[in-house]
Amino acid sequence: AIDPQFHENRDQVDEHEGHSVWGPVDEPEELGIHGTHVAVDFDLCIADGACLEDCPVDVFEWVETPGHPESEEKADPANEAQCIDCMLCVDVCPVDAIDVDAG
Ligand code: SF4
Ligand code: F3S
Ligand code: ZN
């Protein structure tokens, strides 16, 4: 499962479409965590798609990740600022790749 303390245990190494990327990153096999309020561990995501289907405010968008061992696309928290903290995505992800800081 995604480390809920990732913002303490990892370094912000990049930005992508306006959100942070938390390393380590070593493309294409290691992609890190995308997002902060809505964080998706790209190295765990298997492209199940439940988060895209269930998010009521369309926070997620697919991004292509060719060459990654788990899946060749990932759910990117492209619109994390729209999140209403419903926690549905956290509940439905089969590999617990998503952390939402509803603090
Ligand atoms: Fe969407 Fe709810 Fe997940 Fe926020 S917590 S990203 S609103 S499904
Ligand atoms: Fe990936 Fe989990 Fe969504 S596997 S596509 S983050 S439901
Ligand atoms: Zn991203």
Side-chain angles (χ1 to χ4, degrees), residues 27-49:
E27 296 178 359
E29 299 90 357
E30 194 173 27
L31 299 174
I33 290 175
H34 281 230
T36 301
H37 180 72
V38 180
V40 180
D41 192 326
F42 274 23
D43 294 310
L44 298 178
C45 175
I46 57 171
D48 176 83

Side-chain angles (χ1 to χ4, degrees), residues 9-22:
N9 295 335
R10 294 174 178 237
D11 293 323
Q12 184 183 333
V13 296
D14 200 358
E15 294 209 350
H16 177 239
E17 303 287 343
H19 54 256
S20 298
V21 179
W22 303 82

Side-chain angles (χ1 to χ4, degrees), residues 40 44-52 62 75 89 92-95 97-98:
V40 180
L44 298 178
C45 175
I46 57 171
D48 176 83
C51 57
L52 276 94
W62 289 120
C89 58
V92 297
C93 178
V95 292
I98 308 175

Side-chain angles (χ1 to χ4, degrees), residues 25-86:
V25 171
D26 184 14
E27 296 178 359
E29 299 90 357
E30 194 173 27
L31 299 174
I33 290 175
H34 281 230
T36 301
H37 180 72
V38 180
V40 180
D41 192 326
F42 274 23
D43 294 310
L44 298 178
C45 175
I46 57 171
D48 176 83
C51 57
L52 276 94
E53 288 174 22
D54 289 0
C55 178
V57 292
D58 295 333
V59 162
F60 303 99
E61 294 178 5
W62 289 120
V63 294
E64 304 288 311
T65 57
H68 190 270
E70 296 297 339
S71 58
E72 303 222 323
E73 56 184 356
K74 305 293 178 183
D76 195 35
N79 307 304
E80 69 173 351
Q82 296 177 15
C83 177
I84 57 171
D85 299 345
C86 73

